[in-house]
Amino acid sequence: MAQGANPMAIRTKKYQLDKNVYTRMALVQVWRKDWWYALIPLVLLLLPAAFSFSWWWVAFAIIVTLLFVLLRSAQVLSVTQVEQGSPLFEKLTYEVDQRQLILKRNEREGMTLSWDMIQKAQKTEDSYMLWLQPPTDAQLPGGWKGWLARTFQVPVFINMPFRIFNSPTDIKRFESILQRKSLLAPVAAQQPNQG
């Protein structure tokens, strides 16, 4: 855990991310980005049917594609089941300052994330999503296992709903920190076109 507590830090209320909410959000992100991977087995296995049509080829292509979709979705679901993912789903308070983000179970136990451990931030209509950095190439296995791990990564993020902040000022300060850290693009000031 970090040195002393910063009196200027933003402190939140306790919050526990529901596993079903995480799964739904992660699946949306995965399939928004990787939808075209499901087309590969479908197209490859439908090619023989284009030359010599058979319902067996069509059925086989659909079954293999559905299996791929189920396996990829199960991979995302596994984050909620493995022990390494359990800190994401505990009841925590967050303490945020310019140096770090601290996830606290209680006053003595917690985990510190430096800002360089966060890849990007995204503002939704009711929360901030902080996406953690994926493993580096040095942390991944070599060969085809490494390629598989890089290609089919599971997104890991921290969801911070607006309701856990103690005031609108804390939300503005938090967003300002994210913008200064280049994790969240600043909102362009909208100027009405007077013409």
Side-chain angles (χ1 to χ4, degrees), residues 86-174:
S86 65
L88 291 173
F89 309 107
E90 293 179 9
K91 197 162 197 154
L92 303 168
T93 58
Y94 301 96
E95 192 171 302
V96 182
D97 64 24
Q98 289 293 330
R99 299 173 296 155
Q100 63 208 355
L101 171 69
I102 303 173
L103 291 68
K104 290 183 166 183
R105 282 189 191 138
N106 54 46
E107 285 304 315
R108 283 183 248 115
E109 292 182 285
M111 181 174 75
T112 302
L113 295 176
S114 61
W115 287 109
D116 63 348
M117 296 171 76
I118 297 172
Q119 181 182 29
K120 66 178 179 174
Q122 180 181 359
K123 184 177 180 180
T124 66
E125 62 187 43
D126 63 349
S127 67
Y128 292 101
M129 294 171 68
L130 305 178
W131 300 87
L132 301 183
Q133 289 283 3
T136 62
D137 287 343
Q139 296 169 320
L140 294 173
W144 69 274
K145 288 181 183 179
W147 175 82
L148 223 79
R150 271 188 301 281
T151 305
F152 298 110
Q153 285 183 4
V154 176
V156 179
F157 58 87
I158 297 168
N159 188 50
M160 297 177 70
F162 298 153
R163 71 179 188 278
I164 68 171
F165 291 93
N166 292 308
S167 71
T169 305
D170 283 350
I171 295 173
K172 288 178 185 171
R173 286 177 51 213
F174 181 66

Side-chain angles (χ1 to χ4, degrees), residues 18-51:
D18 182 56
K19 291 181 179 184
N20 294 328
V21 171
Y22 175 88
T23 302
R24 187 178 69 246
M25 294 168 85
L27 283 172
V28 165
Q29 294 298 320
V30 164
W31 288 115
R32 185 177 292 157
K33 186 181 81 152
D34 294 347
W35 63 269
W36 64 274
Y37 282 123
L39 294 179
I40 295 171
L42 184 67
V43 169
L44 288 177
L45 294 172
L46 282 178
L47 279 177
F51 298 108

